[in-house]
Amino acid sequence: MTLSTLNTLLTKREDAVFTVTVNRADKLNAFNPEVLSELNQVLDRIEKEETLKVVIITGAGEKAFVVGNDLEQLAKLDPVAAYEQMRLGQRTFLRIHEFPKPVIAMVNGYALGGGFELALSCDLIVASEKATFGFPEINLNTMPGWGGTQLAAKKLGLNRAKEMILTGAYYPANVCAEFGFLNRIVRHEQLERETMALADQLAEKAPFPLKIAKEAINKGAELNLSDGFQFEAHAYAVNYSAPHTEEGFAKFLTRTK
């Protein structure tokens, strides 16, 4: 296991799984520009690392995953600075959404505002039974700005996204189970073990099929069905150019004989 510390992040590598922890527990892991900058630095470092197959993102402490943007600094922005910071957050979360390795959000507490947007940008969400989700921005006379209006509509459905964004209400994990965006809800004390078990299951797969399958799913959400089918067929054919395809078929056929 390899550990490293940045100013606002902790990172840990265990075999093929890389965990990033937002380390501002005293601020309930609220984001600021430094967190976004360091997160992008980490993504730069691990994107081309072939032996790393799965990424987990979580928050430090027992109370929060991430509670969103640091309001003290956000309140001081002028319109131009606010736009630039929103675009930085959007680029970061879109990068996670499109990252070539599966990304799992391990939600250990409050996932609010930008924290909820971060979780929705990940491919899978494993939530503690103590987790809480919400978009409180409307209560501050503003709105989600890091992709929340778009991600929520795609992953929760239009009506549910409108309810969560327009009411600003908080929803516990057991209620969110009905909304369809959580992959697993687990006992709080089992959260890390259950998330690592899922990550290890993914890490057993060949990385290129994981990458193109994720890309096909994401692309299909943006295309009409016919174009999505076409994109899928191209991705499937491209996968045949890699030796792991022949190896996978051979291994299965040998096992079934």
Side-chain angles (χ1 to χ4, degrees):
M1 183 170 65
T2 304
L3 301 171
S4 65
T5 305
L6 291 85
N7 287 337
T8 66
L9 302 178
L10 300 174
T11 66
K12 177 175 67 174
R13 176 173 181 171
E14 296 178 87
D15 299 323
V17 180
F18 192 86
T19 301
V20 181
T21 303
V22 182
N23 189 32
R24 302 185 77 215
D26 60 321
K27 298 286 187 180
L28 297 180
N29 303 317
F31 270 114
N32 61 19
E34 186 176 20
V35 178
L36 291 173
S37 175
E38 291 192 345
L39 182 54
N40 276 287
Q41 290 174 37
V42 169
L43 294 174
D44 285 341
R45 193 171 85 235
I46 65 175
E47 183 169 0
K48 300 270 168 64
E49 177 57 67
E50 293 183 0
T51 58
L52 289 175
K53 296 184 178 180
V54 183
V55 179
I56 296 172
I57 299 178
T58 191
E62 291 294 317
K63 294 183 178 180
F65 172 68
V66 173
V67 295
N69 224 318
D70 190 324
L71 294 182
E72 290 184 9
Q73 65 89 28
L74 194 63
K76 299 174 183 177
L77 301 179
D78 60 33
V80 173
Y83 173 81
E84 292 299 331
Q85 187 159 322
M86 291 309 103
R87 290 298 289 156
L88 173 60
Q90 289 175 346
R91 287 193 296 270
T92 303
F93 290 176
L94 184 61
R95 183 178 187 185
I96 292 170
H97 177 69
E98 297 177 345
F99 202 64
K101 307 172 193 292
V103 184
I104 303 172
M106 183 169 72
V107 181
N108 52 318
Y110 289 109
L112 305 177
F116 192 9
E117 289 166 311
L118 171 62
L120 290 175
S121 73
C122 296
D123 301 300
L124 303 169
I125 302 176
V126 180
S128 159
E129 61 192 349
K130 296 183 179 181
T132 299
F133 299 84
F135 289 114
E137 291 90 342
I138 203 76
N139 301 322
L140 303 172
N141 296 332
T142 182
M143 59 177 283
W146 282 353
T149 59
Q150 309 306 301
L151 289 166
K154 290 182 183 300
K155 295 198 172 185
L156 281 70
L158 194 61
N159 288 352
R160 190 68 74 184
K162 286 181 177 179
E163 177 186 342
M164 293 195 76
I165 291 169
L166 299 182
T167 66
Y170 293 1
Y171 297 79
N174 65 313
V175 173
C176 290
E178 303 172 9
F179 296 177
F181 66 88
L182 298 180
N183 294 92
R184 298 182 185 179
I185 301 174
V186 301
R187 289 166 50 194
H188 187 73
E189 60 271 20
Q190 299 294 325
L191 178 62
E192 184 172 1
R193 185 164 75 177
E194 293 287 343
T195 305
M196 281 299 300
L198 177 58
D200 287 339
Q201 183 181 2
L202 295 174
E204 293 175 354
K205 316 303 179 187
F208 188 69
L210 283 176
K211 175 188 174 190
I212 61 172
K214 172 177 173 174
E215 186 176 352
I217 294 167
N218 287 345
K219 199 70 176 175
E222 303 168 5
L223 300 171
N224 62 52
L225 192 59
S226 178
D227 289 341
F229 274 26
Q230 184 72 15
F231 186 92
E232 181 186 75
H234 282 299
Y236 193 93
V238 167
N239 188 50
Y240 265 74
S241 66
H244 59 248
T245 304
E246 184 177 345
E247 293 168 4
F249 284 135
K251 182 177 180 181
F252 179 81
L253 292 172
T254 300
R255 191 168 64 241
T256 56
K257 286 182 179 178

